[in-house]
Amino acid sequence: MNKLFSRGLVAAIGSVMLTFGAGTAAAQAAQLVKTNYSLKSDASKTSAAPVGARQAAPVLSAVQRTITSTTNLFSSAVGSVFGTQSDPRQAELGRIAREGRWLHNAGWPLYALVDRYSAGVALDEQATCLATAVYFEARGESLDGQLAVARVVMNRAASDRYPPTWCEVMTQPWQFSFVNPHTGRIPAINYQSAAWAKAQGVARLAMANAVPTVPTDVLWYHADYVHPSWGRRLSYVDKIGAHIFYRA
């Protein structure tokens, strides 16, 4: 109870600070996230498990309502700056980077953040490829596992070991089991599903680097029910759900 009260008090104090610090927040928000649309994926994986039932949103407590109120205040304080950006996608990523990180530090769980950012400015081609990798590779995993997969894909693109764009890495032969290695064709996505909405939310959080996940040197993963020979040559980092993550 003390922790809950403290968190509510911090959020309430934060709202006052945001009111008086809107100018500072707006100035900082002008430095938007520069998204590197590169991605890499070396890990093969069999088809993901079916999507489970979507978790119902909990009834908001008084503390959660306070956090929501301060979130709206935060958005209002910096919204005018983000609205001036020429690229609405970059503007949105900038907002998510600032707002999402603030909400995470304020105690919002990952499922609430994913739900919040599951809709927004339409993803461009490269971001859609990132969400597609999450959808097919990890939609049966926890949201932490989905975020880790997205980060690995992005890490590889930045590593200079693989093709330089997320789409090229995703369709690289023999890297993802859902991609036909001969034609590069991808199965149909159910764009109306909760799984696709979540994949988009995860992709936006990953691109904005709003929530901590696996380190930037983690470039490989595989399902725990397979034992690829290359895994023995790498350094174990973590196991999240059914995936085991590695660095060189």
Side-chain angles (χ1 to χ4, degrees):
M1 179 62 71
N2 288 336
K3 290 184 177 179
L4 190 61
F5 176 79
S6 298
R7 183 171 291 170
L9 181 60
V10 169
I13 293 173
S15 68
V16 176
M17 293 176 67
L18 283 169
T19 301
F20 291 100
T24 301
Q28 293 175 340
Q31 300 176 352
L32 297 177
V33 174
K34 300 299 183 183
T35 306
N36 179 3
Y37 282 131
S38 323
L39 147 328
K40 295 260 172 177
S41 276
D42 179 46
S44 297
K45 177 184 176 298
T46 58
S47 299
V51 181
R54 188 174 188 178
Q55 184 173 1
V59 177
L60 291 178
S61 67
V63 173
Q64 289 173 315
R65 285 196 295 272
T66 301
I67 294 175
T68 301
S69 176
T70 54
T71 300
N72 293 335
L73 179 59
F74 179 93
S75 298
S76 297
V78 300
S80 60
V81 172
F82 290 124
T84 63
Q85 303 305 315
S86 58
D87 185 342
R89 295 188 180 95
Q90 289 294 322
E92 182 177 64
L93 286 179
R95 176 179 64 84
I96 295 172
R98 303 289 184 178
E99 180 188 273
R101 188 178 298 116
W102 186 84
L103 289 174
H104 174 73
N105 291 337
W108 273 43
L110 183 55
Y111 73 83
L113 293 173
V114 170
D115 283 346
R116 183 175 181 83
Y117 302 123
S118 62
V121 179
L123 301 179
D124 66 9
E125 180 184 20
Q126 295 298 323
T128 297
C129 285
L130 181 60
T132 299
V134 171
Y135 177 84
F136 283 112
E137 283 287 291
R139 70 177 184 265
E141 294 295 306
S142 68
L143 293 174
D144 289 292
Q146 293 183 36
L147 186 61
V149 166
R151 175 52 60 189
V152 167
V153 169
M154 296 171 71
N155 287 349
R156 289 176 174 184
S159 71
D160 295 327
R161 297 184 182 217
Y162 302 93
T165 71
W166 297 343
C167 291
E168 286 177 308
V169 170
M170 185 186 69
T171 56
Q172 188 177 12
W174 314 109
Q175 300 305 306
F176 288 100
S177 60
F178 68 88
V179 179
N180 185 309
H182 303 292
T183 65
R185 295 190 63 180
I186 299 170
I189 295 173
N190 181 356
Y191 293 110
Q192 306 306 315
S193 66
W196 177 242
K198 288 180 179 179
Q200 292 182 83
V202 168
R204 289 187 177 99
L205 286 168
M207 290 187 293
N209 197 27
V211 179
T213 182
V214 295
T216 57
D217 61 347
V218 175
L219 303 180
W220 300 275
Y221 70 90
H222 65 75
D224 60 3
Y225 47 81
V226 297
H227 304 282
S229 59
W230 53 261
R232 295 191 292 270
R233 302 191 298 270
L234 301 173
S235 298
Y236 172 91
V237 173
D238 198 4
K239 184 176 185 295
I240 305 176
H243 286 145
I244 301 173
F245 296 85
Y246 299 88
R247 61 165 57 94

